[in-house]
Amino acid sequence: MSTPRDLMIVALDVAPSRPLGRGDLSLALAGAEAYDLLRTGTLRLRGDRLAPLTGPGPDRPAPLSPPGPEDGLLAEAAAALVREEPYEPLPDWLWRRGRGLSSAYLAALEAEGQVTWERSRWLPFRGGRTVLSDTEARRRAAYRWAADEPVLLALAAAVGIREELTPADPAVTDDTALTVLAAVHDAVMELEAVRQRRALEAAAFANVWRGA
């Protein structure tokens, strides 16, 4: 089970509740990677810092299911962890690892034949829209989505794939997962604030040139 891959597939397969930004999705994918690495015992949280675990020990359980060859991007994420103390804060990881991550996952799915491009006959050389193939990975992601898997739902809500969660939705109860989800939510809000500030600056600049 790969949460970032499933989130990417859901993002391609479900009509979003609001326009879906690549930056928002990239931050959520980085959070999904951190969640999977924490869930499998590849790292643990020390406060808000990601501390990699190198093997079994008194306070280092063996990973439940370390990233395999089929999870190349998750293995890449594990290799990218900062391994020197005081380790990297989770928010910093989201911004560093998340840079361009949605494009990387889309390219990986395309390389695996999970995604194809449907081109318009009127614009054959100007891109098109992504079309998901009927694969086991798509069915697995659809199953988690239909089952209202709490972490997947929360990540989807954070980026606008679905509406915000309500008390009727399944709740995340694990403290570690809640920490990751809160960091993703804060990062997405910060990115939106940056967008709004830039839009205001651009509008003010345009008004100066118009003599407003």
Side-chain angles (χ1 to χ4, degrees), residues 18-118:
R18 65 175 186 266
L20 186 60
R22 288 191 178 186
D24 297 350
L25 181 56
S26 291
L27 289 168
L29 288 167
E33 287 184 337
Y35 167 71
D36 274 4
L37 294 175
L38 287 160
R39 180 178 58 84
T40 59
T42 304
L43 58 82
R44 69 175 178 178
L45 284 176
R46 288 187 180 177
D48 72 336
R49 294 179 181 269
L50 302 178
L53 304 180
T54 57
D59 61 345
R60 297 193 304 275
L64 298 177
S65 53
E70 70 280 3
D71 290 321
L73 283 168
L74 195 57
E76 180 185 288
L81 293 167
V82 174
R83 299 184 180 276
E84 295 79 28
E85 294 194 40
Y87 305 120
E88 186 173 27
L90 174 57
D92 291 359
W93 160 268
L94 297 180
W95 290 105
R96 178 174 68 87
R97 176 63 184 167
R99 189 174 295 114
L101 197 56
S102 61
S103 296
Y105 270 92
L106 181 59
L109 292 175
E110 186 177 3
E112 296 166 6
Q114 308 278 359
V115 169
T116 57
W117 289 90
E118 184 179 83

Side-chain angles (χ1 to χ4, degrees), residues 7 17-21 23-25 27-29 145 150-165 180-189 192 195:
L7 177 63
S17 63
R18 65 175 186 266
L20 186 60
D24 297 350
L25 181 56
L27 289 168
L29 288 167
W145 183 251
V151 171
L152 187 60
L153 286 186
L155 289 168
V159 299
I161 298 172
R162 58 155 290 161
E163 299 289 349
E164 291 294 327
L165 299 181
V180 172
L181 294 170
V184 170
H185 183 272
D186 290 347
V188 170
M189 292 298 99
E192 179 59 26
R195 289 195 192 103

Side-chain angles (χ1 to χ4, degrees), residues 9 12-13 106 109-110 113-119 128-135 138:
I9 290 171
L12 294 169
D13 211 15
L106 181 59
L109 292 175
E110 186 177 3
Q114 308 278 359
V115 169
T116 57
W117 289 90
E118 184 179 83
R119 298 186 181 277
R129 66 185 185 92
T130 54
V131 178
L132 282 166
S133 304
D134 184 18
T135 63
R138 184 183 185 183

